[in-house]
Amino acid sequence: MGIEDFGGGQDQTDVLVVTTNDVPGYRVDRVIGEVFGLTVRSRHLGSQIGAGLKSMIGGELKGLTKTLVETRNQAMERLVAQARSRGANGVLMFRFDVSEAADVGTEVCAYGTAVVIAPV
């Protein structure tokens, strides 16, 4: 696995997603409201066994890391799709929330505030 397997971020350019409250050089013309993307992923048996063995000797659990990156990316894609469908071209105050889902998987929620921004 290469480093590209462990990264994330935004591929689309029509909806700008930022973690900040504003975007330098842009003004907020309209606040649309909260948007989120949610996904729950279970871990397959092979990765569970591998993780259990790896945890005995220590080190990064690369299979689980890659799964979490894929899960976060999917949640972000869903957030962007929801923002776009509501007429937004930006999402401010973007965050992730990650938690266990009933001991069967990992829940990842990407959330933020959908807005319409324009250059100043």
Side-chain angles (χ1 to χ4, degrees):
M1 288 185 270
I3 191 68
E4 65 278 357
D5 294 322
F6 296 101
Q10 188 176 6
D11 291 331
Q12 303 88 357
T13 57
D14 63 323
V15 177
L16 179 63
V17 179
V18 297
T19 60
T20 56
N21 294 335
D22 53 18
V23 179
Y26 287 81
R27 69 178 182 275
V28 175
D29 285 344
R30 185 165 54 107
V31 174
I32 295 171
E34 179 196 8
V35 288
F36 66 91
L38 181 67
T39 186
V40 177
R41 289 262 177 110
S42 64
R43 295 177 287 276
H44 62 78
L45 183 59
S47 71
Q48 287 290 87
I49 293 170
L53 294 172
K54 185 73 172 187
S55 68
M56 290 191 298
I57 60 171
E60 181 182 7
L61 306 173
K62 289 186 180 183
L64 292 178
T65 300
K66 186 176 178 186
T67 298
L68 184 55
V69 168
E70 291 167 351
T71 304
R72 287 172 62 119
N73 287 343
Q74 183 179 47
M76 185 171 183
E77 288 167 9
R78 290 178 178 176
L79 166 117
V80 169
Q82 186 183 80
R84 186 182 298 120
S85 74
R86 294 179 62 191
N89 66 349
V91 175
L92 303 179
M93 299 175 287
F94 170 74
R95 302 288 187 267
F96 281 113
D97 184 48
V98 180
S99 60
E100 288 297 312
D103 294 329
V104 296
T106 302
E107 172 190 325
V108 175
C109 183
Y111 62 95
T113 303
V115 295
V116 175
I117 57 174
V120 288

